[in-house]
Amino acid sequence: MHIVDRRLNPSSKSLENRQRFLRRAKALVQGAVKKSAQDRDIKDVLEGGEVSIPLDGMNEPRFRREGGTRDMVLPGNKKFVEGDILPRSGEGSGKASEPGEGDGEDAFRFVLSRNEFVDLFLDDLELPDLAKRKLAEAESEGLHRAGYATSGSPANISVTRTVRLALARRVALRRPRPETIAQLEAEIANCDEPRCSELLVEIDALKAKARRIPFIDPIDIRYRRFETVPKPVAQAVMFCLMDVSGSMSEHMKDLAKRFYMLLYVFLTRRYRHVEIVFIRHTDRAEEVDEDTFFHGPASGGTLVSSALATMHDIVRSRFRPADWNIYAAQASDGDNSYADGDVAGRLLIEKILPVTQFFAYLEVGEAGGHPGFELSGSSLWTLYQRLQAEGAPLSMRKVSDRSEIFPVFHDLFKRRRHQERAAS
Amino acid sequence: MTANSAERLYEGADWDFATLQRIHDACEKIAKSELGLDVYPNQIEVITAEQMLDAYSSVGMPLYYKHWSFGKHFAHQEAFYRKGLMGLAYEIVINSSPCISYLMEENTATMQTLVIAHAAFGHNHFFKNNYLFKQWTDADGILDYLDFAKGYVAQCEERHGRLAVEQTLDAAHALMSHGVDRYPGKKKLDLRAEEKRAGQRRSHEESAFNDLWRTVPTGPLKSASTLSDERRRTLLGLPQENLLYFLEKSAPRLQSWQRELLRIVRHIAQYFYPQGQVKVMNEGTATYVHYRIMMRLHEQGLISDGNFLEFLQSHTNVVFQPDFDDPRFSGFNPYALGFAMMQDIERIVVNPEDEDREWFPDIAGTGDAMAVLRDVWANYRDESFINQFLSPRLMRKMRMFHLHDDPAETAGIRVDAIHDARGYRRVRRELARQYDVGFIDANIEVVDVDLAGDRRLMLRHTVVKGAQLNEADAKRVLQHLADLWSYDVSLAEVDATGTLLKEHVSSPRGIPAAA
């Protein structure tokens, strides 16, 4: 007998089969993912987890029999005697499943990894009109130094490296140094006969050796090596604006936070070259890091324009619209001080919208609120609606319940097939 | 225990390869000299839990062709495993020579001992000696054949596209349960030669290919109707219950590679076929063997009391049989039933009572339990085994009773027989019938082909006890069958008196439906 240690073998033998299965069940799984995503916390969504899909279409049919008269032998008789009649629905009714009758379940449950889950979830979402600007060369090639090579163009010879190698070789092969030869020649000048001829022989030998071992040999030569790396230019920056003022209830903040979390996952997954800037505002706006944005406490009044102004400053200082596709998504309860409406509107129209590809506004309401919570819209809603009517590229949605986040998210970022997307 | 711990095989829970070797040697000594087992050479493979799951999803075989259904099973098993609903069965063993047993690295030394005793000696002996395996399976060739199958399927995917291959395999899998020869009479499969022949067939086709043959004008075809019905059926080898075989040989429009795929699926189905007929015996044998070996190891002081208790705990879990009204109940546990019967036979042979002498005159009191058991293991399968060796005492102990559920009887389900003098034989006969191959799968045969007309393939399902095919599933399977046959297929469900109960008809999908 012998023992084989298989633990070092590649262990995910089933991976390919699993991928085949997921590919085949894609439509089903995607539906299940969307559905389960609606029924749970976003935080769990990010975890991946269990989904169940209808067996239909995924099942492997076999000839199975059912019905007819059945005979069963069961263990554990407690009180029955021959001739008893048991009511069908009661205890001891045909609970026993026949051998060979496999899964009588109508749903197939299995666990998706986080990546698989989010992948499927985001599969049909895409930021709109990305890379409108520099789409001509979606990826330009940049050169990066990448070590040394033994061949190359003369222009790229790396002298230092070549000389260093030559020196090492000369030392290793004991090439006589010119100083040694010079010293011996100086000795010849003042020495007597036998020694003199000895020296001459020695010098000849050294010189011959020096000729045999070149100062720089072709094998020492090194060239600087370059690699081309794709340099993405379709870079985007996403501004997340959120109202964290006193008028925002915990529930609303929660909604907004969920929206952004999802947004964040989506962006970080889909685009590797997306920068995200978080701006939260009360009556003052500040740029914060992600953690503070979602979890940091803050309260105060409401000045939407402060956030827009901050965003504008950041754009000016860090994201030149020539190089960046700029996106913004704002979440708010719609409250804004009256005086601020015009300022905000002007900022939007004159400064923000011209440089952004897309501006989404998500209005969050109290739980149980009707999707169109107020007959007359909130001050921001009215403002934005007016701007939209004038043709500003705004998307707006109202959300009052957690389960609505996902459809809205879909709406906001659905692939717009009807729009020309030069990037593909 | 008087033995000092220096003689112990291991201490505590840790093990290494030297330990495994010692364990194996100790088990081997007991298995060969005391139990008289005859086994294939052993190969023990240490694997991780994830690899165990992998092995699960490809029916325990170490290599298999790629197919989505294995991925589905894997996902399913993994979900259960993660939820903790299912511990991994602690053993997978492969009927091959050398006999491969898997050990999970997470297991304690005691568990490894248990698995080695159970799989490497119990199952191994059963595989090597039971007549069904001898008759039907080729333990030497199976691994090579699977390797060939894997390579061949991958090659087909390259040549003909993944989708086409997948569809053919899907169809073949749907018919897998009806792709076996149930009755010996043909030669035992020689998988090595099989693989060689497959290669020769292909190379012959390639070398003999000449496109000109297409252009040769053919004379008027012999009218099929001149053949008598009888003659036609004989030519086609009908009736034929092995649907895969029939399609491989006679489906008019299959490509040669598709026929080869059907053949592969058929061979693999045939290889697994005996395992379904000896579940109770196979597990019973292995459990009995591991129990005996562990007992002896403990008696000899090779394992400590603590480790022995650990073994007893997992052993008890394995042979637990919930009652019929227990929520955990899902039929008879083959480990429990098999083990109980093996122990019962041992009792009858060594220490019989009057009742046993009356019921089992051949073996009662003969004294050599192992000789009787070895003979039983070699010459029976579940159905005949239960029919012969289930003793009244065991029926009483497990409190077996027989229910007869007739839909025509509105009052309810009748208790037909219980574990009493009047019921023993009936209970035993009914339980054996549950394991009867003839009852496990529906009896479906190809009966005729309408060659003169629309080439419709006709099948017959002989209905037993009024159990008809599940409509939805039958439809799907027939669809696959029609796709392979490429003309209409009809399946008639006929009861014993020849009355037609139902007819299913299916037409081929012209275009490959994209999954």
Side-chain angles (χ1 to χ4, degrees), chain A residues 11 13-14 23 56 65 88, chain B residues 54 62 162 409 439 476:
Chain A
S11 62
K13 263 204 302 202
S14 297
R23 249 205 307 276
D56 223 34
R65 285 166 307 170
R88 273 185 216 284
Chain B
D54 274 345
R162 180 179 286 182
E409 206 165 324
F439 282 98
R476 290 200 193 93

Side-chain angles (χ1 to χ4, degrees), chain A residues 255-271:
Chain A
L255 282 182
K257 277 177 188 170
R258 279 169 195 286
F259 177 70
Y260 281 121
M261 279 169 100
L262 188 58
L263 188 59
Y264 179 68
V265 171
F266 164 62
L267 291 168
T268 46
R269 293 258 329 165
R270 183 127 222 150
Y271 301 101

Side-chain angles (χ1 to χ4, degrees), chain A residues 366-419:
Chain A
E366 278 301 352
H370 199 271
F373 354 101
E374 299 166 33
L375 287 176
S376 61
S378 66
S379 50
L380 260 187
W381 186 262
T382 340
L383 172 70
Y384 284 176
Q385 222 165 11
R386 186 164 54 80
L387 297 179
Q388 205 180 18
E390 291 167 7
L394 277 170
S395 293
M396 318 165 45
R397 286 285 181 292
K398 292 187 180 184
V399 176
S400 59
D401 198 84
R402 189 191 311 158
S403 64
E404 295 169 350
I405 289 264
F406 286 86
V408 165
F409 189 78
H410 258 268
D411 270 1
L412 286 179
F413 296 99
K414 222 183 205 84
R415 283 185 183 168
R416 307 184 173 184
R417 289 198 184 75
H418 57 274
Q419 287 201 356

Side-chain angles (χ1 to χ4, degrees), chain B residues 203-425:
Chain B
S203 56
H204 173 73
E205 276 166 15
E206 283 166 13
S207 62
F209 176 76
N210 187 340
D211 203 35
L212 282 177
W213 286 114
R214 248 188 340 104
T215 64
V216 174
T218 49
L221 281 172
K222 254 196 220 142
S223 151
S225 55
T226 56
L227 291 172
S228 72
D229 286 1
E230 209 46 51
R231 178 95 186 98
R232 182 181 71 233
R233 285 186 204 139
T234 318
L235 279 178
L236 286 166
L238 298 176
Q240 170 61 267
E241 61 163 12
N242 188 336
L243 305 185
L244 283 178
Y245 177 80
F246 176 81
L247 288 169
E248 180 200 328
K249 297 295 178 224
S250 321
R253 293 171 65 181
L254 286 182
Q255 306 279 335
S256 62
W257 61 268
Q258 289 177 300
R259 290 180 209 275
E260 193 66 55
L261 288 184
L262 295 191
R263 198 180 178 81
I264 285 172
V265 172
R266 184 165 65 85
H267 284 329
I268 291 176
Q270 192 72 59
Y271 168 82
F272 282 117
Y273 184 57
Q275 306 214 1
Q277 301 177 54
V278 288
K279 272 209 174 74
V280 172
M281 284 191 79
N282 201 348
E283 293 305 350
T285 305
T287 310
Y288 179 83
V289 167
H290 85 221
Y291 189 73
R292 287 284 301 262
I293 290 180
M294 295 301 281
M295 292 287 273
R296 281 298 291 152
L297 289 176
H298 183 227
E299 278 169 27
Q300 295 167 359
L302 292 170
I303 54 177
S304 68
D305 294 7
N307 289 329
F308 187 64
L309 280 176
E310 182 193 347
F311 151 72
L312 281 180
Q313 191 200 3
S314 56
H315 172 80
T316 315
N317 285 338
V318 166
V319 299
F320 172 66
Q321 173 65 60
D323 285 349
F324 76 98
D325 48 4
D326 188 313
R328 288 167 295 181
F329 179 78
S330 60
F332 270 99
N333 170 0
Y335 291 83
L337 183 60
F339 180 65
M341 286 182 69
M342 301 301 167
Q343 286 217 299
D344 202 47
I345 290 172
E346 183 188 347
R347 183 190 59 80
I348 291 166
V349 172
V350 178
N351 188 12
E353 291 164 6
D354 289 346
E355 182 188 48
D356 301 316
R357 288 184 207 283
E358 184 188 329
W359 278 69
F360 306 102
D362 295 350
I363 60 169
T366 51
D368 185 355
M370 274 325 292
V372 173
L373 281 172
R374 282 198 301 269
D375 175 62
V376 168
W377 294 341
N379 299 312
Y380 290 83
R381 64 178 181 204
D382 285 350
E383 178 209 1
S384 52
F385 173 63
I386 290 170
N387 226 338
Q388 288 232 26
F389 293 103
L390 185 63
S391 71
R393 186 188 164 111
L394 186 58
M395 285 184 251
R396 285 196 300 272
K397 192 171 146 198
M398 295 184 90
R399 311 187 70 81
M400 294 182 186
F401 64 110
H402 168 216
L403 287 180
H404 179 74
D405 181 359
D406 188 346
E409 206 165 324
T410 48
I413 304 169
R414 195 172 73 245
V415 179
D416 239 17
I418 62 164
H419 42 89
D420 59 11
R422 289 200 314 162
Y424 290 140
R425 290 194 190 277

Side-chain angles (χ1 to χ4, degrees), chain B residues 158-209:
Chain B
E158 278 175 27
R159 286 191 189 177
H160 310 285
R162 180 179 286 182
L163 192 64
V165 172
E166 195 171 76
Q167 277 174 341
T168 308
L169 283 177
D170 282 355
H173 284 185
L175 297 166
M176 207 162 175
S177 57
H178 291 76
V180 289
D181 297 321
R182 268 162 241 276
Y183 305 102
K186 300 192 174 161
K187 284 203 307 284
K188 180 177 127 178
L189 275 182
D190 178 358
L191 291 174
R192 284 225 170 92
E194 189 56 51
E195 179 188 341
K196 246 208 293 290
R197 270 204 298 274
Q200 284 164 354
R201 268 199 301 276
R202 269 203 313 285
S203 56
H204 173 73
E205 276 166 15
E206 283 166 13
S207 62
F209 176 76

Side-chain angles (χ1 to χ4, degrees), chain A residues 1-24 50 55-88 91-100 103 105 107-113, chain B residues 17 20-21 24 42-47 50-51 54 57 62 66-76 78-79 82-83 105 157 162 166 170 173-174 323-325 329 332 398-407 409 412-416 418-419 422 426 430-431 434 439-440 442 444 465-470 473 476-477:
Chain A
M1 103 91 192
H2 53 280
I3 304 177
V4 186
D5 190 353
R6 294 267 181 221
R7 285 171 299 180
L8 307 173
N9 282 22
S11 62
S12 48
K13 263 204 302 202
S14 297
L15 189 63
E16 190 182 340
N17 285 332
R18 184 188 174 89
Q19 286 166 341
R20 286 178 180 219
F21 159 64
L22 284 177
R23 249 205 307 276
R24 189 178 163 112
E50 193 180 71
L55 262 179
D56 223 34
M58 274 324 284
N59 70 344
E60 303 160 79
R62 295 268 199 278
F63 283 127
R64 283 195 295 127
R65 285 166 307 170
E66 54 187 18
T69 51
R70 301 200 307 161
D71 286 286
M72 297 165 278
V73 173
L74 304 171
N77 180 12
K78 310 219 173 13
K79 53 181 189 207
F80 306 138
V81 294
E82 192 176 327
D84 280 0
I85 300 281
L86 318 179
R88 273 185 216 284
E91 176 206 13
S93 63
K95 256 196 312 192
S97 58
E98 284 182 17
D103 35 4
E105 49 185 332
F108 176 74
R109 311 187 67 82
F110 62 99
V111 176
L112 285 172
S113 73
Chain B
F17 286 73
L20 292 185
Q21 186 70 52
H24 173 272
N42 268 312
Q43 179 166 324
I44 288 173
E45 308 204 345
V46 180
I47 58 172
E50 194 193 356
Q51 287 170 316
D54 274 345
S57 54
K66 300 261 181 272
H67 190 259
W68 64 267
S69 61
F70 305 132
K72 171 183 151 185
H73 295 162
F74 181 76
H76 199 46
E78 188 189 38
R82 284 203 186 166
K83 273 197 281 192
E105 66 170 351
E157 286 188 338
R162 180 179 286 182
E166 195 171 76
D170 282 355
H173 284 185
D323 285 349
F324 76 98
D325 48 4
F329 179 78
F332 270 99
M398 295 184 90
R399 311 187 70 81
M400 294 182 186
F401 64 110
H402 168 216
L403 287 180
H404 179 74
D405 181 359
D406 188 346
E409 206 165 324
I413 304 169
R414 195 172 73 245
V415 179
D416 239 17
I418 62 164
H419 42 89
R422 289 200 314 162
R426 276 179 291 157
E430 278 306 328
L431 184 62
Q434 285 187 12
F439 282 98
I440 291 173
I444 294 174
K465 294 206 289 191
Q468 294 184 25
L469 293 177
N470 170 298
D473 266 12
R476 290 200 193 93
V477 180

